[in-house]
Amino acid sequence: MKAIKQKDPQNITVFYDGSCPLCASEISYYKRADTDHVLNLVDVSSKRFSGDDSVTRSDAMARFHVRLADGRQMSGARAFVELWRAVPGWRWLARLASLPGVVPLLEELYRLFLRMRPLIVRGFGKYQRFFGTSLTR
């Protein structure tokens, strides 16, 4: 039986907060893992980003967003699943997230993370200053 070739991933625009050391470090990791060169990374903390018809700066700073090649936009856990689907080495996690009930659970965990983000970012900043590095190197 002939195996069906998986469709090549399409470009995905990733809106991230470059002023957040944890977020920037994580995006740096995804950038290195993006061997298919499908990620278009947009730092929403940059003065050059003013938003567009689909996402404002304040929305993008508050939650993680991605835009797929077909124009669909997602935020939160669904956005991470689409990012994982696009990046080699992370597709297994996107497949796991396709199981019933997983995305809603991930969304609840993401909302918890958002509430704790300031504390986590402070700790991450201290880690970087103490060790002079990031976790993704």
Side-chain angles (χ1 to χ4, degrees):
M1 181 173 210
K2 186 176 179 182
I4 298 172
K5 184 178 177 185
Q6 183 178 0
K7 183 179 170 187
D8 291 331
Q10 297 181 13
N11 289 341
I12 179 171
T13 301
V14 178
F15 300 92
Y16 71 98
D17 179 1
S19 68
C20 165
L22 180 63
C23 305
S25 185
E26 180 179 12
I27 291 300
S28 176
Y29 176 81
Y30 290 132
K31 184 178 180 178
R32 288 191 306 275
D34 180 25
T35 57
D36 293 339
H37 307 289
V38 296
L39 300 182
N40 174 29
L41 303 173
V42 177
D43 179 357
V44 299
S45 70
S46 166
K47 291 180 182 179
R48 291 178 292 191
F49 181 78
S50 59
D52 60 25
D53 293 340
S54 298
V55 64
T56 65
R57 176 184 295 224
S58 61
D59 289 343
M61 291 290 283
R63 281 177 65 86
F64 182 71
H65 287 73
V66 300
R67 184 175 301 139
L68 304 181
D70 65 7
R72 288 180 297 144
Q73 189 156 305
M74 288 141 203
S75 70
R78 291 189 190 282
F80 277 103
V81 171
E82 292 303 326
L83 173 62
W84 298 334
R85 190 181 325 281
V87 178
W90 287 86
R91 292 181 183 135
W92 68 272
L93 197 50
R95 283 191 299 277
L96 181 65
S98 71
L99 295 172
V102 173
V103 171
L105 174 63
L106 290 173
E107 181 62 28
E108 289 304 314
L109 292 171
Y110 180 68
R111 289 177 186 202
L112 177 64
F113 163 78
L114 288 177
R115 287 193 297 274
M116 298 176 60
R117 179 179 162 185
L119 179 63
I120 294 168
V121 168
R122 273 195 304 274
F124 184 73
K126 288 179 182 179
Y127 171 89
Q128 284 184 311
R129 284 189 297 280
F130 185 77
F131 291 105
T133 186
S134 72
L135 292 174
T136 60
R137 286 189 188 192

